[in-house]
């Protein structure tokens, strides 16, 4: 059974930093591309960033490019999202998604999410 467990979401001030983690189990993590998506209050899901199976290729939405960094530790079966220079508009529930590094995440397995709130 695929399990994806996100953690690390908290309340942070604008301009602050945060690192999210996604612990994966139930599949061969190192064989799959992964992504982060988010859902802001009252809005639909938005693809944020993706990484290929080895970690050698990454992609970012324009809204986070230059501020967020996606990475993975295949030995620890863990996906990360380093978030810097956070803005109030980054407030959302963040989910990790198995199986793609692009925005075609519909229908793919994702975790329960972790809440990130950016507010003074």
């Amino acid at each position: 059974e695929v399990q994806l467990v996100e953690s690390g979401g908290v309340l942070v001030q604008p301009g602050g930093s945060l690192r999210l983690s996604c612990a994966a189990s139930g599949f061969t993590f190192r064989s799959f591309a992964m992504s982060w998506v988010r859902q802001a209050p009252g809005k639909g899901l938005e693809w944020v960033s993706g990484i290929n199976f080895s970690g050698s290729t990454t992609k970012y939405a324009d809204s986070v490019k230059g501020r967020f960094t996606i990475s993975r530790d295949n030995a620890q079966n863990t996906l990360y999202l380093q978030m810097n220079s956070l803005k109030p508009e980054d407030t959302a529930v963040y989910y990790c998604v198995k199986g793609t590094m692009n925005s075609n995440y519909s229908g793919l397995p994702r975790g329960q999410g972790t809440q990130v709130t950016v507010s003074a």
Side-chain angles (χ1 to χ4, degrees):
E1 178 188 2
V2 172
Q3 285 199 321
L4 300 165
V5 180
E6 301 92 341
S7 62
V10 292
L11 170 64
V12 62
Q13 292 189 340
S17 296
L18 206 54
R19 189 176 81 158
L20 305 183
S21 299
C22 170
S25 61
F27 64 102
T28 307
F29 180 73
R30 64 181 181 273
S31 296
F32 288 88
M34 299 289 294
S35 281
W36 286 97
V37 301
R38 67 186 181 185
Q39 186 165 25
K43 297 189 177 181
L45 285 170
E46 175 193 16
W47 177 83
V48 173
S49 180
I51 188 167
N52 72 337
F53 68 98
S54 68
S56 62
T57 303
T58 58
K59 294 184 177 181
Y60 299 92
D62 288 344
S63 58
V64 306
K65 200 172 294 182
R67 300 188 298 121
F68 290 9
T69 302
I70 190 171
S71 62
R72 64 191 298 160
D73 184 338
N74 284 345
Q76 297 295 323
N77 291 345
T78 304
L79 178 72
Y80 300 102
L81 186 68
Q82 178 67 43
M83 308 163 67
N84 298 330
S85 302
L86 283 161
K87 304 175 181 180
E89 51 263 44
D90 295 318
T91 294
V93 179
Y94 284 73
Y95 303 89
C96 60
V97 176
K98 167 185 175 281
T100 184
M101 65 177 297
N102 300 305
S103 57
N104 58 333
Y105 54 83
S106 179
L108 294 177
R110 68 174 187 258
Q112 84 292 342
T114 186
Q115 175 72 50
V116 173
T117 303
V118 184
S119 175

